[in-house]
Amino acid sequence: MSRFGKSDKELTEDEIDGVTKDWSYEGEMDLDTDKLGTGPIASHFDYISKSRLKTKEKCERKLGFKYISEVRPDENFYMVRGTNIHDSFEKYHKNVKAYVAANRCFPESLTELLGHGSEWFQFIDWVIPFFEWELARFEEAKTNTETLDAALDAWTPHSLEQDLWIDDPPVGDLPWRGPYDALVESQSVPEIDATEGYTVVDYKTGSTPDEQYRDEGIHIDLCFYSWMLEIKGFNVTGAIGFYPTGESHVVRETPQPEIRAKIIGIIQYLHNNDVTPEDMSINEQPLCDWCHFQEQCPTSWDREGKGN
């Protein structure tokens, strides 16, 4: 039996389907993986997201690889871990909402709200700081309210994992998309000096970024979420990137005019019909050592930081 179907005999490679195959190739092999397409970059995007914004800010060429060439990195351990931790936090918050609604009291055990230990115990280094922050949020809610019922309502998240869409954005023609992790009352967040409005929370599973990299990363995330929520009618008085294993939380209280101006500039760039994928520059930097697109990128950056 042939692996290509029924046959009285095993066919050789050049006799498949009874046709002699010429497997030789003359000419140069096209091994170029830097296929960024042609035409204005605006024609390659159907919406604006915080990921696209900060990728462009970090490196234009990486934006081209990721969203125009659609060169997707293989899933690795850190991606899987991050997804599982996010799923655990989301499940916990959903159970908090259900528990408080049914019992109108603070849970006796937060771990029970995470589900079976087999689902989260391997992430204990992230769970413990998360629980400590949740306890601190409840204490802050009690401080800023007058009754237990009011404190429970302030501590319970307003919404979780909402995928926001702005079809008619204030800048550009492309719609905006922003799925956020959690929206909580600011009076429950110790790091935010506000007793009114909401704080958008973005859970991060990596290390806290150095100050020099925050304006091109987490600050864009938080400002973009805040802006979209404001457009939707929410009074956003705070935004926080929560790094459970980091030395500190990254906090940006709104408004953030300098980051918002940066976002406007990036969106205008993505709408510029005079910019083509070939114009996307390479921003050589230490982060090149961890870029998923090292094999495609012609950068000569090395670990000694010499660059070109």
Side-chain angles (χ1 to χ4, degrees):
M1 173 70 69
S2 168
R3 60 189 175 93
F4 296 101
K6 294 182 178 181
S7 175
D8 294 334
K9 67 174 183 176
E10 290 290 327
L11 299 178
T12 61
E13 192 173 57
D14 62 350
E15 293 177 332
I16 297 173
D17 295 331
V19 179
T20 301
K21 304 289 185 179
D22 181 6
W23 297 96
S24 63
Y25 180 84
E26 294 182 2
E28 296 181 359
M29 295 291 287
D30 181 11
L31 299 178
D32 180 17
T33 57
D34 188 2
K35 299 180 183 300
L36 296 180
T38 59
I41 60 172
S43 65
H44 296 280
F45 294 95
D46 52 1
Y47 63 86
I48 300 294
S49 69
K50 58 101 174 180
S51 178
R52 298 172 186 208
L53 292 171
K54 65 182 183 181
T55 301
K56 187 274 172 190
E57 187 64 12
K58 291 177 181 178
C59 180
E60 294 175 5
R61 184 61 65 93
K62 183 176 181 178
L63 178 75
F65 286 139
K66 188 173 182 179
Y67 295 107
I68 296 179
S69 294
E70 296 186 345
V71 179
R72 297 295 180 175
D74 294 333
E75 191 174 57
N76 58 39
F77 166 79
Y78 301 101
M79 294 177 182
V80 174
R81 183 185 68 186
T83 298
N84 290 338
I85 294 172
H86 269 84
D87 289 346
S88 295
F89 290 173
E90 179 186 359
K91 181 176 183 178
Y92 161 84
H93 274 312
K94 288 181 176 179
N95 287 337
V96 163
K97 292 174 70 72
Y99 183 94
V100 171
N103 299 282
R104 299 308 301 168
C105 65
F106 191 78
E108 293 183 4
S109 172
L110 296 184
T111 57
E112 292 181 0
L113 302 179
L114 275 175
H116 195 275
S118 61
E119 299 178 13
W120 57 266
F121 191 77
Q122 59 183 314
F123 312 121
I124 193 67
D125 290 339
W126 286 262
V127 170
I128 290 177
F130 174 68
F131 279 166
E132 290 174 345
W133 189 61
E134 281 294 280
L135 292 171
R137 278 208 317 114
F138 185 63
E139 291 301 316
E140 186 73 7
K142 289 196 296 184
T143 299
N144 292 320
T145 56
E146 297 181 355
T147 66
L148 177 60
D149 270 354
L152 288 168
D153 290 337
W155 176 65
T156 304
H158 171 276
S159 53
L160 304 165
E161 300 293 335
Q162 295 295 305
D163 194 358
L164 297 176
W165 281 89
I166 306 295
D167 292 322
D168 187 20
V171 181
D173 298 322
L174 294 173
W176 294 2
R177 181 187 183 188
Y180 63 84
D181 291 331
L183 188 67
V184 301
E185 292 191 22
S186 292
Q187 62 180 335
S188 74
V189 183
E191 296 84 359
I192 300 297
D193 186 19
T195 56
E196 297 181 351
Y198 294 95
T199 290
V200 60
V201 182
D202 191 16
Y203 293 119
K204 300 296 186 181
T205 57
S207 57
T208 307
D210 294 337
E211 287 279 355
Q212 68 191 90
Y213 298 120
R214 295 181 186 180
D215 281 355
E216 63 185 32
I218 181 61
H219 290 169
I220 288 179
D221 291 347
L222 300 180
C223 186
F224 191 60
Y225 289 140
S226 300
W227 198 352
M228 294 189 71
L229 285 163
E230 288 176 10
I231 294 172
K232 290 292 188 180
F234 288 91
N235 177 23
V236 181
T237 53
I240 180 171
F242 183 75
Y243 294 78
T245 60
E247 295 181 2
S248 63
H249 309 319
V250 176
V251 179
R252 293 284 294 201
E253 294 189 44
T254 54
Q256 306 165 47
E258 74 282 7
I259 303 300
R260 187 166 294 191
K262 184 188 293 289
I263 289 175
I264 291 173
I266 298 172
I267 293 175
Q268 291 173 338
Y269 169 88
L270 294 176
H271 282 76
N272 190 341
N273 288 324
D274 293 328
V275 179
T276 66
E278 294 180 351
D279 300 321
M280 303 178 105
S281 62
I282 300 172
N283 180 20
E284 294 188 330
Q285 55 183 299
L287 293 177
C288 289
D289 288 334
W290 290 272
C291 182
H292 295 297
F293 307 103
Q294 293 183 58
E295 294 184 1
Q296 291 80 23
C297 187
T299 180
S300 59
W301 181 271
D302 57 31
R303 291 189 179 277
E304 285 73 36
K306 298 177 182 178
N308 279 323

